[in-house]
Amino acid sequence: MKTEDYIIKQISVFSENRPGRLAAIAKAMEEEEINIFAFSIAEAKGFGVVRVLVDRPKDALDKLVNIGFMVSFTDVIAVSMHDVPGGLYEIANILAKSEINIEYSYAYSGKEAAVLILRVDQAEEAVQRLLDNGANLLKSEMFA
Amino acid sequence: MKIWDPRIEEMPAEELKKLQYRHLKTLVYRLYSFSEFYHRRMDEQKVHPDDINSLADITKLPFMYKSDLRDNYPNKIFTAPQDELVRYHVSSGTTGKPTVVGYTQKDLEIWTNSLARSLTAAGLGRGDVMQVSYGYGLFTGGLGLHYGAEKIGATVVPTSVGNTERQIELMQDLSVTAIACTPSYMVHLGETAEKMGISIKNDTDLKTAVLGAEPWSEAMRRRMQEQMGISAYNIYGTSELSGPMFTECSEQNGIHIWGDIAYTEIIDPDTGEQLPSGEKGELVMTILQKEALPMIRFRIGDITSIDESVCPCGRTHPRIERIQGRVDDMLIIRGINVFPSQVEHALLGIPEVSGHFRIVVDRKGALDTMLVQVELNPDSFSDKLSDIMDIRNKVSHLLKNQLNVGVGIELVAPGALPRFEGKAKRVTDRRVM
């Protein structure tokens, strides 16, 4: 199993801080019949970045660019967590021991398990360590 | 009603015109003979001092522009040797190179006399305590008012700008009766006093404010006068002409421009043709007796009109209406001149953003705020907020350095700002004066 199989293309969208931006992104996804698995909004003074995991990243990127959004792909990994107390600790601790820095993360409750999305400074290294420690990573093909 | 120099200030209009003509003739001869710059300019315009045989002939003379001062930085067009200069003032240099103005002893005397007349016309004199809250230093406002106020025997409190609470304490402790500052600072003083539980109207002796260096409206004057129990007078001048020189009299009906010091024209900014009294146009001034840095037909860029009728106060010198705007797109933000072209210039040096931008000016309380919206370049987009914040801070620092005034930065997506086919409209000024 190659580590890159677990590197997922997240869509990152720059958004001015004004009403209707998220709605415009969501509408674009709806029109293309793209399914959003998870998203988060990071906000700073005057602007925000919307991060989205979808089933067809390439189509989503093209669509958003076409309607004028500034969009890029960002490599993230998705870990299936045990949906019990201590589930997050298990994952975070593996990364901490490996000295891998989490730049940001968000989580969603999937159909079978809770899923933690991570942007880390060394993606492949993180995948390796997580797999070595028995973590359950979601494959990128789920998101393409 | 006191007049500082009745012989000059009430001089019959015809006599004043003769005096102006004599000064003009002398000035033109002197400059043609001794200034390379003016000699060349006049030759280019094919005008010789002998062609100036009446005041109306001034229109034969070439205009002077701010760029002439910049192009000849720092002192190439000075007409007095360095050892005759007693002071320099330097503009903030917001449009690129700063401009330097030099003064001989006589230049300073004329400047001071001009203000002595003006402050007297605003009702001030011996017994008044005047707080000068214009900046002291390279800016002409502080020292200009300082010497003018001393000349009329007022007591000066040279507070300069800032430290507002202390200024209000001093105002009370020293029984200040008059203040000179920008109109927005006056409002700020009023608001700060209120927060301190002090009413300018009831708890201080302040009666007179001499306000200028930025545009303000009649409505703003009325509000200030009512709320603070003061009389507020407009003061006018620019650093190129010396600094602040002219004010309104007690009539508050136009700024008296001392005719023996300055000859005033209003021109059509497009054609350069002189316009008749009462018509709005670009203000052009000739400083008739300047020694160190003579200014002939200097195009100031401010829009106003002129009224040559004798003022009910008895002064015969022409008055200009409060400044209505600018010929160019200059903005005045907290007393600092800002041109959108400077913003553009600064942005073009930053690869992370595009050259598309919009300036939004607001007034929050008494303070002007300037927001620059600028498009992020797609290549520079990172989904890490800290990377984008770094870009924002970089833009903010560079603009502050260029403009000498702090601005807010808002990064927007590429294409988010309007595009223009003709002249770009880059400024939204939402200030209510």
Side-chain angles (χ1 to χ4, degrees):
Chain A
M1 188 65 66
K2 285 184 288 180
T3 51
E4 59 252 45
D5 290 346
Y6 296 99
I7 309 286
I8 300 161
K9 297 282 174 218
Q10 172 198 267
I11 306 245
S12 303
V13 191
F14 179 85
S15 167
E16 288 115 56
N17 205 353
R18 61 189 163 89
R21 301 316 286 157
L22 181 61
I25 295 168
K27 179 164 179 274
M29 297 300 96
E30 192 264 327
E31 281 171 6
E32 294 299 303
E33 296 187 358
I34 290 169
N35 191 23
I36 298 173
F37 292 122
F39 78 92
S40 84
I41 301 175
E43 69 99 31
K45 203 173 175 234
F47 69 91
V49 175
V50 179
R51 295 152 180 164
V52 205
L53 280 192
V54 295
D55 57 353
R56 284 152 43 218
K58 179 77 178 70
D59 294 344
L61 182 123
D62 290 346
K63 172 71 179 181
L64 289 167
V65 167
N66 274 339
I67 59 173
F69 278 100
M70 184 157 46
V71 189
S72 68
F73 281 137
T74 309
D75 289 346
V76 296
I77 56 179
V79 193
S80 178
M81 288 186 289
H82 292 123
D83 200 356
V84 293
L88 175 61
Y89 172 71
E90 223 177 294
I91 308 299
N93 194 39
I94 295 167
L95 296 173
K97 280 189 180 154
S98 316
E99 301 244 320
I100 290 168
N101 189 39
I102 300 172
E103 280 163 0
Y104 60 76
S105 83
Y106 50 102
Y108 73 99
S109 192
K111 283 183 184 113
E112 282 104 39
V115 178
L116 181 68
I117 315 294
L118 292 161
R119 168 148 192 210
V120 293
D121 53 355
Q122 311 152 60
E124 297 209 8
E125 174 74 10
V127 169
Q128 196 59 60
R129 294 301 180 112
L130 288 164
L131 290 174
D132 291 350
N133 285 278
N136 185 15
L137 282 140
L138 275 61
K139 281 197 182 167
S140 62
E141 63 196 34
M142 283 183 62
F143 302 96
Chain B
M1 196 183 327
K2 267 194 73 183
I3 291 184
W4 179 256
D5 188 350
R7 188 185 57 87
I8 291 281
E9 292 174 60
E10 295 179 319
M11 180 179 270
E14 277 316 299
E15 243 180 86
L16 181 61
K17 287 214 159 76
K18 279 183 200 155
L19 180 63
Q20 289 181 310
Y21 169 64
R22 280 208 306 278
H23 282 316
L24 179 68
K25 187 87 179 170
T26 311
L27 179 69
V28 172
Y29 263 113
R30 180 160 65 82
L31 293 181
Y32 192 77
S33 309
F34 298 113
S35 160
E36 240 183 80
F37 172 84
Y38 280 101
H39 191 101
R40 197 178 58 242
R41 273 289 163 90
M42 286 167 67
D43 280 353
E44 281 164 10
Q45 188 93 354
K46 297 187 174 50
V47 56
H48 187 270
D50 289 344
D51 301 329
I52 308 299
N53 296 307
S54 72
L55 211 42
D57 285 339
I58 196 168
T59 56
K60 295 176 182 171
L61 294 168
F63 289 119
M64 236 185 124
Y65 301 85
K66 196 176 168 75
S67 57
D68 289 324
L69 293 180
R70 283 203 298 272
D71 295 347
N72 291 283
Y73 178 88
N75 54 6
K76 288 195 213 79
I77 49 176
F78 281 25
T79 48
Q82 196 281 323
D83 64 357
E84 279 181 32
L85 302 179
V86 293
R87 197 191 296 168
Y88 286 120
H89 278 290
V90 184
S91 79
S92 52
T94 46
T95 49
K97 269 232 168 88
T99 55
V100 177
V101 179
Y103 306 78
T104 65
Q105 196 77 58
K106 189 185 164 207
D107 290 337
L108 282 189
E109 268 164 34
I110 290 174
W111 182 13
T112 300
N113 273 329
S114 178
L115 274 173
R117 292 183 203 167
S118 297
L119 295 176
T120 306
L124 301 172
R126 186 170 290 274
D128 274 303
V129 180
M130 181 174 229
Q131 186 167 328
V132 176
S133 305
Y134 279 121
Y136 277 67
L138 291 174
F139 179 61
T140 51
L143 287 168
L145 264 301
H146 181 100
Y147 287 108
E150 283 187 352
K151 180 88 178 175
I152 58 168
T155 313
V156 175
V157 187
T159 48
S160 195
V161 286
N163 211 349
T164 307
E165 296 192 2
R166 175 99 176 107
Q167 297 220 14
I168 292 162
E169 283 166 23
L170 286 172
M171 187 181 280
Q172 287 192 305
D173 296 346
L174 302 176
S175 304
V176 167
T177 61
I179 188 169
C181 61
T182 61
S184 54
Y185 192 67
M186 189 70 233
V187 174
H188 181 62
L189 269 171
E191 288 169 354
T192 308
E194 215 167 279
K195 280 185 203 143
M196 294 164 69
I198 294 165
S199 149
I200 299 262
K201 193 175 192 168
N202 302 320
D203 306 328
T204 74
D205 293 322
L206 195 72
K207 286 287 164 286
T208 308
V210 180
L211 309 177
E214 63 185 22
W216 57 306
S217 66
E218 199 53 41
M220 192 170 168
R221 161 157 46 205
R222 279 198 297 272
R223 200 169 58 222
M224 270 194 268
Q225 294 194 145
E226 197 176 303
Q227 287 175 355
M228 299 193 227
I230 56 171
S231 299
Y233 298 98
N234 220 333
I235 185 165
Y236 185 73
T238 77
S239 62
E240 294 85 1
L241 307 178
S242 276
M245 290 182 103
F246 312 110
T247 71
E248 295 169 310
C249 65
S250 50
E251 299 291 323
Q252 295 186 327
N253 187 24
I255 299 157
H256 285 272
I257 308 293
W258 311 119
D260 56 320
I261 294 175
Y263 182 72
T264 310
E265 297 171 76
I266 302 293
I267 62 161
D268 178 324
D270 297 323
T271 64
E273 296 288 315
Q274 227 180 53
L275 295 172
S277 285
E279 270 189 46
K280 265 195 194 36
E282 181 180 357
L283 181 62
V284 171
M285 271 203 196
T286 300
I287 302 295
L288 292 165
Q289 304 178 59
K290 202 85 174 288
E291 288 185 337
L293 178 57
M295 303 299 288
I296 290 186
R297 304 198 83 203
F298 179 62
R299 291 184 67 157
I300 301 177
D302 286 332
I303 294 171
T304 182
S305 63
I306 190 166
D307 181 351
E308 291 181 294
S309 67
V310 175
C311 182
C313 75
R315 292 176 178 85
T316 49
H317 296 239
R319 283 161 290 154
I320 56 166
E321 189 191 14
R322 72 168 60 244
I323 303 305
Q324 303 285 299
R326 292 280 306 172
V327 169
D328 51 31
D329 51 6
M330 187 178 86
L331 288 163
I332 303 179
I333 309 291
R334 278 174 259 154
I336 306 252
N337 299 348
V338 172
F339 286 90
S341 56
Q342 294 172 264
V343 174
E344 184 167 297
H345 182 77
L347 294 179
L348 290 174
I350 308 171
E352 291 90 343
V353 298
S354 81
H356 295 285
F357 66 97
R358 180 161 58 190
I359 297 171
V360 182
V361 188
D362 253 313
R363 180 162 285 169
K364 301 213 167 101
L367 276 185
D368 295 331
T369 61
M370 179 171 150
L371 174 74
V372 177
Q373 296 175 313
V374 57
E375 290 182 4
L376 196 59
N377 269 337
D379 296 346
S380 310
F381 173 53
S382 150
D383 88 317
K384 278 168 74 177
L385 296 186
S386 59
D387 291 347
I388 304 181
M389 292 303 280
D390 286 347
I391 296 173
R392 206 177 74 106
N393 291 341
K394 179 177 174 184
V395 175
S396 165
H397 277 120
L398 277 166
L399 280 182
K400 183 166 199 274
N401 278 343
Q402 285 273 315
L403 308 177
N404 288 315
V405 60
V407 300
I409 304 295
E410 186 181 325
L411 295 173
V412 300
L417 294 175
R419 301 297 195 260
F420 302 95
E421 285 182 4
K423 191 173 157 45
K425 196 191 170 302
R426 302 236 189 252
V427 179
T428 308
D429 198 334
R430 300 201 201 120
R431 284 178 291 191
V432 180
M433 303 283 177

